[in-house]
Amino acid sequence: MLNWESQDASGLASHKILFSPDSGGEQTYTVIADSLPAWQRSFEWTVPNIGFQGTNPTATIRVVAVDSTGREGWMPPRWLFLRARRLAR
């Protein structure tokens, strides 16, 4: 479950959620949810199996707030990183 907080002085219109398997390098974000209502602050999502990424094993999620004028904003993730791990059997 993803949870977030957002606010904007001119009022929020919506949110969207983006996912990148490689820390957002080379503009690799994919939209996983778009046009979420402004009041929504959580989203249930299953992390895809992206496999071991080798040199850069960090995937990231970006929650974008869209205000009533269409401007978009987000905060860099401070604590949200999805790490690929190799499990021993």
Side-chain angles (χ1 to χ4, degrees):
M1 179 71 71
L2 301 172
N3 296 290
W4 65 89
E5 293 295 324
S6 61
Q7 61 184 0
D8 186 83
S10 65
L12 290 174
S14 65
H15 292 99
K16 63 183 172 182
I17 303 172
L18 310 174
F19 170 73
S20 172
D22 64 358
S23 300
E26 303 299 321
Q27 307 295 326
T28 59
Y29 281 99
T30 300
V31 176
I32 59 173
D34 199 5
S35 300
L36 297 173
W39 53 263
Q40 187 167 341
R41 298 294 192 274
S42 65
F43 184 78
E44 189 169 339
W45 180 63
T46 301
V47 178
N49 181 359
I50 59 173
F52 184 68
Q53 297 295 306
T55 59
N56 189 6
T58 303
T60 59
I61 294 172
R62 176 181 287 177
V63 177
V64 179
V66 183
D67 73 11
S68 58
T69 66
R71 292 186 305 176
E72 298 182 350
W74 63 90
M75 292 292 294
R78 293 184 208 129
W79 53 267
L80 178 61
F81 293 97
L82 306 171
R83 295 264 180 200
R85 293 185 191 182
R86 213 174 260 193
L87 302 175
R89 291 188 174 217

